[in-house]
């Protein structure tokens, strides 16, 4: 038997079944007309955003990193809830604009921006977080060609990283950002070019659960921003402090102490040096805003036994839930929170592995979990499916195609 990850708060039981935003899993499947499917709870997204605004100092804006969930209705909802959007491609720019996000609320980070992507962003009036000196030259040239003043910030590759984070994106040699020691010279050039100077973007990692680590990283980011601003020779209009607040996926994971993070950031901001006195700050979060609000529902199509082990084979799999299968940036496979949605109130009675329908041994959604006895036709719920699910999985693999998504 292997433990399962913790089921996020906010779900209920109705008639013995899992209920999402007050609606039974089986009713949602009937409405969709098909399994598997993704269901996102608007109420849980709103609650999460409200908790963040309550915890963060009022001087800090909140951005949604839309790569976590680019589903149109989620973007529209998020557009009403948060201050800004972080995008990482011209494709995401289109989706954000189509969802009604004003261009002046959008910033565009990411290595390898093509010239046509830079042009689209400059034309629209989006802030570019420059990832290199070469990109700065191309952005300035594009601005001249278009006759539009580009809005430019520099993404800094800090010398620190977010401790305990699932994905390190700062510290040492990286494809992201510009090494901190080269930033002042580059900032002076960008400012002198006549571009609209927007400041710094300092992102040091993702998926951390330790408030202490997040607090330490934010303090380091503030200190670095102050130092770079002082030697850049201009007031710092804006500073994106990164994000990194993670969600519990695995057995033993605990939620981040958000109040502690907010309080420490508030105290740090009260004591900033002169160079940051008038700076606007933001944090950028993806999975923390949407991850726990999403559930992937899939149906058991076969129940079989091999060498005494029970396998529940479902009609979904890693083509929609690559991360839950353990194949999206994890070193050791551990179980996500997974449950039998159609017997959500039943006591566990047997060990079973829930596997997907793909013809590869990688396709495991739960390994030797403790579940109530489930039969063909029962529904399985994979939780934490609101981020890096539908859009971060190889939907075309083996010809299955994407799963429908629903925001309720
Ligand atoms: C991926 C990414 C995020 C979002 O990360 P989460 O772990 O989903 O919060 C934020 N900022 C940048 C620059 C990213 O690349």
């Amino acid at each position: 038997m292997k433990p399962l990850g913790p089921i996020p708060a906010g779900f209920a039981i109705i008639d013995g079944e899992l209920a999402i935003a007050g609606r039974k899993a089986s009713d949602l499947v009937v409405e969709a007309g098909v399994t598997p499917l993704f269901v996102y709870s608007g109420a849980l997204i709103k609650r999460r955003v409200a908790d963040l605004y309550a915890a963060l100092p009022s001087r800090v804006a909140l951005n949604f990193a839309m790569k976590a969930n680019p589903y149109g209705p989620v973007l529209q909802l998020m557009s009403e809830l948060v201050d800004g959007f972080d995008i990482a491609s011209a494709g995401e720019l289109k989706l954000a604009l189509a969802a009604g996000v004003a261009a002046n609320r959008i910033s565009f980070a990411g290595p390898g921006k093509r010239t046509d992507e830079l042009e689209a962003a400059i034309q629209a009036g989006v802030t570019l977080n420059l990832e290199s000196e070469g990109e700065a030259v191309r952005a300035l040239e594009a601005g001249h060609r278009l006759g539009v003043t580009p809005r430019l910030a520099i993404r800094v590759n800090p010398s620190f990283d977010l401790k305990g984070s699932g994905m390190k994106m700062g510290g040492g040699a990286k494809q992201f950002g510009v090494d901190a020691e080269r930033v002042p010279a580059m900032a002076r050039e960008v400012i002198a070019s006549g571009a609209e100077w927007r400041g710094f973007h300092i992102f040091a990692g993702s998926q951390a659960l330790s408030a202490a680590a997040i607090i330490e990283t934010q303090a380091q980011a503030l200190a670095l921003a102050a130092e770079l601003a002082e030697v850049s020779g201009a007031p710092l209009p804006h500073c994106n402090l990164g994000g990194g607040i993670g969600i519990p996926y695995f057995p033993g994971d605990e939620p981040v102490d958000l109040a502690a993070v907010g309080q420490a950031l508030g105290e740090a901001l009260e004591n900033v040096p002169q160079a940051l006195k008038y700076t606007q700050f933001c944090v950028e979060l993806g999975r923390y805003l949407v991850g726990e609000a999403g559930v992937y529902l899939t149906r058991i199509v076969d129940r079989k036994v091999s060498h005494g082990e029970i396998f529940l084979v479902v009609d979904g799999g890693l083509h929609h839930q690559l991360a839950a299968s353990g194949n999206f940036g994890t070193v050791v496979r551990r179980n996500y929170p997974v449950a039998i949605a159609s017997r959500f109130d039943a006591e566990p009675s047997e060990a079973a592995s829930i596997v997907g329908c793909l013809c590869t041994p990688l396709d495991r959604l739960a390994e030797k979990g403790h579940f109530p006895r489930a039969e063909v036709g029962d529904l399985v719920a994979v939780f934490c499916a609101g981020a890096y699910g539908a859009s971060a999985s190889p939907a075309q693999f083996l010809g299955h195609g994407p799963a429908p998504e629903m925001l309720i």
Side-chain angles (χ1 to χ4, degrees):
M1 210 107 73
K2 297 197 173 167
L4 297 162
I7 293 176
F11 297 98
I13 300 171
I14 298 180
D15 298 341
E17 282 186 46
L18 168 69
I20 306 165
R23 301 187 52 197
K24 286 193 284 185
S26 60
D27 288 346
L28 294 165
V29 168
V30 168
E31 183 176 330
V34 66
T35 49
L37 81 146
F38 286 91
V39 183
Y40 310 122
S41 159
L44 289 182
I45 293 174
K46 285 181 193 160
R47 190 186 304 171
R48 180 52 58 90
V49 171
D51 287 348
L52 267 160
Y53 276 111
L56 289 173
S58 56
R59 192 177 167 188
V60 177
L62 176 62
N63 287 6
F64 176 48
M66 68 169 274
K67 78 169 189 269
N69 189 329
Y71 179 52
V74 168
L75 299 182
Q76 282 167 22
L77 172 64
M78 210 51 103
S79 169
E80 294 161 16
L81 298 179
V82 302
D83 297 293
F85 269 53
D86 287 302
I87 62 166
S89 71
E92 287 192 345
L93 172 60
K94 273 204 188 113
L95 293 174
L97 294 174
V101 185
N104 63 6
R105 297 165 62 201
I106 301 176
S107 48
F108 182 178
K113 298 181 194 75
R114 297 186 311 265
T115 298
D116 62 291
E117 294 184 298
L118 296 173
E119 286 174 352
I122 291 168
Q123 189 68 266
V126 162
T127 293
L128 289 167
N129 293 331
L130 299 169
E131 303 269 351
S132 72
E133 288 90 344
E135 196 173 279
V137 171
R138 287 192 294 129
L140 290 169
E141 285 171 358
H144 282 301
R145 255 195 320 278
L146 296 166
V148 178
T149 305
R151 313 181 80 205
L152 302 180
I154 297 175
R155 179 166 179 183
V156 182
N157 175 23
S159 55
F160 50 86
D161 59 21
L162 175 54
K163 293 196 180 64
S165 69
M167 257 180 229
K168 295 194 192 317
M169 292 173 79
K174 286 283 178 305
Q175 77 261 51
F176 307 108
V178 177
D179 294 350
E181 49 288 3
R182 296 210 309 273
V183 167
M186 182 174 164
R188 283 193 293 269
E189 283 190 23
V190 169
I191 294 162
S193 74
E196 184 181 340
W197 173 233
R198 294 297 296 149
F200 299 128
H201 174 209
I202 306 175
F203 183 79
S206 248
Q207 181 50 23
L209 294 175
S210 153
I214 295 165
I215 289 167
E216 185 191 341
T217 300
Q218 286 177 339
Q220 287 174 309
L222 273 174
L224 178 60
E227 186 190 321
L228 294 175
E230 265 159 32
V231 287
S232 300
L236 191 65
H238 190 267
C239 183
N240 180 333
L241 293 169
I245 303 180
I247 59 174
Y249 286 107
F250 302 117
D253 283 357
E254 298 273 354
V256 173
D257 182 347
L258 192 60
V261 171
Q263 195 187 336
L265 187 55
E267 284 163 15
L269 288 174
E270 273 167 29
N271 301 310
V272 287
Q274 191 60 32
L276 303 182
K277 269 274 179 311
Y278 303 104
T279 305
Q280 293 173 311
F281 292 96
C282 75
V283 292
E284 53 175 354
L285 296 168
R287 76 188 78 217
Y288 192 70
L289 301 183
V290 289
E292 288 166 289
V295 179
Y296 177 68
L297 292 174
T298 177
R299 196 184 288 285
I300 298 175
V301 292
D302 202 3
R303 176 186 166 98
K304 52 193 284 190
V305 176
S306 170
H307 291 278
E309 285 185 24
I310 299 164
F311 289 87
L312 304 169
V313 189
V314 296
D315 60 5
L318 74 72
H319 53 304
H320 305 141
Q321 274 296 306
L322 189 63
S325 77
N327 294 293
F328 190 61
T330 28
V331 183
V332 181
R333 195 200 171 284
R334 288 176 293 165
N335 284 326
Y336 261 43
V338 174
I340 308 297
S342 43
R343 302 174 193 262
F344 201 51
D345 66 343
E347 289 300 318
S349 59
E350 66 180 18
S353 290
I354 298 178
V355 297
C357 59
L358 300 190
C359 206
T360 158
L362 299 177
D363 197 2
R364 287 174 292 176
L365 296 178
E367 199 179 344
K368 295 182 187 153
H370 200 197
F371 296 109
R373 186 187 162 101
E375 304 292 343
V376 170
D378 271 313
L379 293 172
V380 167
V382 179
F383 294 90
C384 297
Y388 306 110
S391 71
S393 303
Q396 297 309 327
F397 192 30
L398 279 150
H400 287 284
E405 296 169 271
M406 250 163 97
L407 173 69
I408 59 168

